[in-house]
Amino acid sequence: MSDPRLSRIRNFCIVAHIDHGKSTLADRLLELTHTLSPQQMKAQVLDDMDLEREKGITIKSHAIAMEYTARDGREYQLNLIDTPGHVDFTYEVSRSLAACEGVILLVDASQGIEAQTLSNYLLAREQGLQLLGAVNKVDLPSARPDDVALEIEHVTGIPAERVLRLSAKTGAGIEEVLEHVVADLPPPSGRPDGPFRALIFDSKFDPYRGVVALMRVVDGSVGVGGTIRFLSTGKTYDVAEVGRLRLGLEPQEVLEAGQVGYVVAGVKTVADARVGDTIGDARAEGLEPLPGFREVKSMVFSGLYPIDSERYEALKEALGKLVLNDAALIYEPETSVALGFGFRCGFLGLLHLEIVSERLRREYQIELIATTPSVEYRVLLEDAEVLVVDNPSSMPEAQRIAVIEEPYVLAHLLTPAEYLGNLMKLCQDRRGIFVSLDYLEEKRARVAYRLPLAEIVLDFYDRLKSASRGYASLDYEFDGYREGDVVKLEVLLNGESVDALSAIVHRDKAYEWGRDLCAKLKELIPKQMYQVAIQASIGNKVIARETLGALRKNVTAKCYGGDITRKRKLLEKQKEGKRRMKQIGTVEVPQEAFLAVLKVDR
């Protein structure tokens, strides 16, 4: 039974598929509770990153506290967390759910339940959270609120008549949402009199005050002047400030059990305030860590290199700060012959890679080159030595290799039955091995395949969404290594290998991959003063070639008539100059060319 002191608190988040109206609903809730003044209000007020506003998506979870006086006359404290909807940011959602007791599951009235809706519902159910179903955009001419409410009942078991109908754009039905949050979602559980324990669900770096850890207080209370301990590292700090999360940070004297807020304790090292860690009272003995979040699964590994090598230290520092803000990002140092010093980073998907690169560019002014994504291969050499290779440049010569093993995953795809054929064809094309097929209900099937991880790291998600109109969802787990016929595909510019453009691909797909890549590079590399040969090769065998023509300058334009030998002399001089230039010149490869590798059709 919840403590009476906690009965007026509700912690909840809004989850939905991308573009189903989460941020707009959050705006209406803030307006109705008068949390922000009319001058502070703007569309998608919680999406405070430029990138979020430009792309119209939520990238980071955002927490904000509201006060609401319900119809029963009581005042409640509501802590809302707005979450991302894109599949690449599922990890953000899982962290937000750990700080809540209830979830508003929002579904677009014209589109119905989609992949992320289902995925987020399963995440919420795993954590045992109370669900509140809601159908948004009922004001649209194409809205089917009753049909969508039945879909929600079918998938989640929430009776269709209890599913809320609302329009976040017009404000219809918003007050009902707040009344149901107060009535149907449970108050937080915890021991207000116990020793202080809190869960860090997010954190950000302030250059003046150090790490600002966003936390959900589970037991006890924390105030200014107290001493806290991070349970994973054992380090202790004195609390300088605690407070609630409004549009900015609102300092308070004390934060109590059940509340969501922040703590500043002069933590200067970003690694000390890990997301998912438990903070406790430094004086309390034998504190148990709170259950953290699920482990993040990196899908795409890519090298990030500063274009200006002197910015390496700045990149290292920037990645350290970004990891604090984005726990799904992992990185370790690596070097490249062509690009110098950089970092090998793990991402959740291509959108995640794009967002991280863009944030490094905008927030830390670091111009980057990203290399071809890859996975880890196990290479067994003729002398029985085993190497782990995650970078094409470290692949040994073909004659030394006995066997190459590639990582496989066991993938579960959840899809409406009508798209089953499309998805099975997609998996077969990606060298999938069929495992099982079963029907969860008449119109929804679950199919399992063993797939090479390399085949799903790039555009598998995009293809999956295309083949199923966005309805299918994918989950996978590592399933060991299997022998594979993979080769290292090198890209040569005028005979010089560019290791950053090399890739490890299956032999059956190497020719198409090489041909498409050469064609793409021909479009993207600017013309030089001399001819450039763009070649793709496996070992010593060139399998594809494109020729980038030279920039032409009419050196005979100044000759008006006269002897032909004068023109010939000028042309010979130009030809010799181009030959010399080709020997000592290096071809500048633009950033777009490296990104183009990601988009080569597999």
Side-chain angles (χ1 to χ4, degrees):
M1 186 65 194
S2 183
D3 190 285
R5 285 169 284 182
L6 304 176
S7 63
R8 303 278 183 89
I9 300 174
R10 298 288 183 274
N11 299 321
F12 68 100
C13 60
I14 306 172
V15 297
H17 193 82
I18 191 167
D19 205 26
H20 277 208
K22 294 177 301 302
S23 299
T24 313
L25 174 58
D27 289 354
R28 295 293 86 76
L29 295 177
L30 295 177
E31 268 178 12
L32 192 63
T33 55
H34 308 295
T35 301
L36 302 179
S37 65
Q39 291 78 22
Q40 289 176 300
M41 276 310 294
K42 57 182 177 181
Q44 279 84 47
V45 68
L46 293 182
D47 291 349
D48 53 7
M49 222 186 285
D50 290 345
L51 268 174
E52 293 181 312
R53 305 191 74 79
E54 277 171 32
K55 291 181 178 286
I57 60 173
T58 303
I59 294 166
K60 289 288 302 164
S61 298
H62 299 275
I64 193 161
M66 307 179 283
E67 265 84 41
Y68 174 62
T69 306
R71 289 173 189 160
D72 62 8
R74 294 180 174 188
E75 189 173 285
Y76 290 86
Q77 185 185 326
L78 310 178
N79 294 304
L80 159 68
I81 303 177
D82 178 29
T83 61
H86 192 279
V87 68
D88 278 9
F89 303 110
T90 305
Y91 186 63
E92 286 283 327
V93 180
S94 76
R95 289 166 29 195
S96 304
L97 294 176
C100 296
E101 281 78 38
V103 172
I104 297 177
L105 190 71
L106 197 65
V107 182
D108 186 316
S110 56
Q111 295 180 5
I113 286 186
E114 295 197 43
Q116 274 313 99
T117 320
L118 199 62
S119 166
N120 291 336
Y121 159 67
L122 294 172
L123 278 176
R125 199 178 67 178
E126 265 173 45
Q127 302 211 16
L129 303 185
Q130 184 71 35
L131 285 163
L132 196 59
V135 176
N136 190 20
K137 306 188 186 181
V138 294
D139 57 314
L140 292 180
S142 58
R144 308 174 286 111
D146 295 339
D147 294 350
V148 174
L150 282 168
E151 271 185 46
I152 293 175
E153 178 178 359
H154 203 66
V155 171
T156 66
I158 300 169
E161 62 273 11
R162 290 184 62 84
V163 173
L164 304 174
R165 273 76 159 172
L166 61 112
S167 167
K169 188 177 178 185
T170 64
I174 301 299
E175 195 171 337
E176 286 303 312
V177 173
L178 287 173
E179 285 297 324
H180 277 80
V181 164
V182 167
D184 298 351
L185 299 186
S189 57
R191 295 175 299 151
D193 299 322
F196 166 65
R197 277 197 315 168
L199 183 69
I200 303 177
F201 67 88
D202 204 353
S203 44
K204 47 192 178 187
F205 190 79
D206 184 308
Y208 304 106
R209 300 192 294 173
V211 176
V212 179
L214 309 189
M215 61 179 184
R216 153 72 197 281
V217 183
V218 177
D219 299 329
S221 60
V222 62
V224 178
T227 310
I228 56 170
R229 182 170 84 242
F230 289 90
L231 265 57
S232 68
T233 60
K235 294 188 179 177
T236 59
Y237 295 92
D238 293 328
V239 177
E241 182 180 313
V242 295
R244 294 194 306 170
L245 302 161
R246 290 287 187 158
L247 202 49
L249 305 176
E250 187 182 276
Q252 303 270 305
E253 280 302 307
V254 69
L255 276 182
E256 296 177 336
Q259 290 187 309
V260 173
Y262 70 93
V263 61
V264 177
V267 183
K268 295 296 181 197
T269 315
V270 290
D272 286 351
R274 285 207 186 95
V275 167
D277 195 4
T278 303
I279 318 175
D281 189 329
R283 295 161 302 182
E285 293 297 321
L287 279 182
E288 286 290 313
L290 293 158
F293 310 110
R294 66 197 184 98
E295 276 300 301
V296 60
K297 300 175 190 168
S298 291
M299 292 179 67
V300 174
F301 292 89
S302 174
L304 292 185
Y305 293 84
I307 288 176
D308 177 2
S309 57
E310 290 177 5
R311 301 282 286 155
Y312 172 76
E313 282 301 323
L315 176 60
K316 185 178 178 180
E317 199 175 310
L319 280 169
K321 290 176 184 172
L322 262 189
V323 164
L324 180 75
N325 203 244
D326 180 355
L329 173 66
I330 57 170
Y331 69 99
E332 58 182 35
E334 75 166 1
T335 53
S336 155
V337 180
L339 302 170
F341 292 98
F343 292 92
R344 190 129 197 100
C345 304
F347 304 95
L348 297 177
L350 284 191
L351 178 67
H352 191 206
L353 164 59
E354 189 186 321
I355 295 291
V356 168
S357 307
E358 195 60 36
R359 285 186 69 185
L360 287 168
R361 232 174 257 123
R362 290 189 189 190
E363 295 173 27
Y364 303 97
Q365 289 75 54
I366 300 169
E367 288 300 317
L368 293 168
I369 283 177
T371 65
T372 323
S374 181
V375 297
E376 280 188 342
Y377 294 89
R378 264 206 325 228
V379 181
L380 181 67
L381 302 180
E382 293 287 0
D383 58 8
E385 189 187 346
V386 177
L387 299 177
V388 176
V389 175
D390 68 352
N391 195 340
S393 60
S394 47
M395 181 68 87
E397 299 82 45
Q399 56 270 28
R400 291 180 56 207
I401 298 171
V403 171
I404 299 178
E405 293 183 336
E406 55 180 333
Y408 270 69
V409 292
L410 180 60
H412 295 281
L413 292 87
L414 206 60
T415 173
E418 62 198 277
Y419 304 117
L420 189 59
N422 296 356
L423 297 196
M424 292 179 82
K425 183 179 184 307
L426 173 66
C427 291
Q428 301 286 3
D429 290 347
R430 295 300 171 92
R431 302 190 282 127
I433 303 163
F434 177 76
V435 177
S436 67
L437 168 66
D438 58 314
Y439 283 81
L440 301 179
E441 57 196 46
E442 191 186 337
K443 292 185 178 176
R444 193 170 285 275
R446 181 170 58 190
V447 61
Y449 268 89
R450 284 198 173 83
L451 286 159
L453 183 58
E455 294 286 351
I456 67 169
V457 295
L458 277 187
D459 60 348
F460 189 77
Y461 262 117
D462 300 342
R463 294 300 165 88
L464 182 76
K465 299 298 177 206
S466 302
S468 65
R469 296 193 187 170
Y471 281 99
S473 58
L474 165 75
D475 191 36
Y476 69 90
E477 60 208 40
F478 180 66
D479 194 46
Y481 283 84
R482 281 181 172 68
E483 190 176 326
D485 187 10
V486 293
V487 292
K488 178 185 174 184
L489 181 74
E490 283 191 274
V491 173
L492 310 173
L493 296 180
N494 281 341
E496 291 285 315
S497 173
V498 183
D499 60 351
L501 288 173
S502 303
I504 299 172
V505 294
H506 194 265
R507 194 182 295 275
D508 292 350
K509 302 195 175 187
Y511 169 68
E512 282 113 11
W513 177 271
R515 186 191 60 202
D516 293 348
L517 185 52
C518 287
K520 205 103 176 201
L521 290 175
K522 184 182 178 184
E523 289 171 26
L524 292 165
I525 294 175
K527 286 193 170 187
Q528 311 291 313
M529 295 303 291
Y530 46 88
Q531 208 176 64
V532 177
I534 303 168
Q535 296 169 306
S537 73
I538 297 172
N540 296 325
K541 184 183 177 187
V542 173
I543 59 167
R545 172 182 170 131
E546 292 281 350
T547 305
L548 184 67
L551 264 178
R552 300 182 67 88
K553 181 184 176 188
N554 190 354
V555 289
T556 61
K558 60 189 177 191
C559 301
Y560 293 98
D563 189 4
I564 187 69
T565 54
R566 186 169 169 224
K567 289 187 178 180
R568 282 214 186 107
K569 190 177 168 187
L570 283 169
L571 289 168
E572 286 299 322
K573 192 177 171 189
Q574 182 190 37
K575 194 171 168 184
E576 177 57 28
K578 289 200 172 191
R579 193 178 62 77
R580 257 202 331 271
M581 209 185 281
K582 188 171 180 175
Q583 285 173 349
I584 59 163
T586 55
V587 182
E588 286 292 316
V589 183
Q591 165 81 20
E592 291 76 40
F594 292 96
L595 291 174
V597 180
L598 316 187
K599 299 186 172 69
V600 169
D601 190 356
R602 297 193 100 182

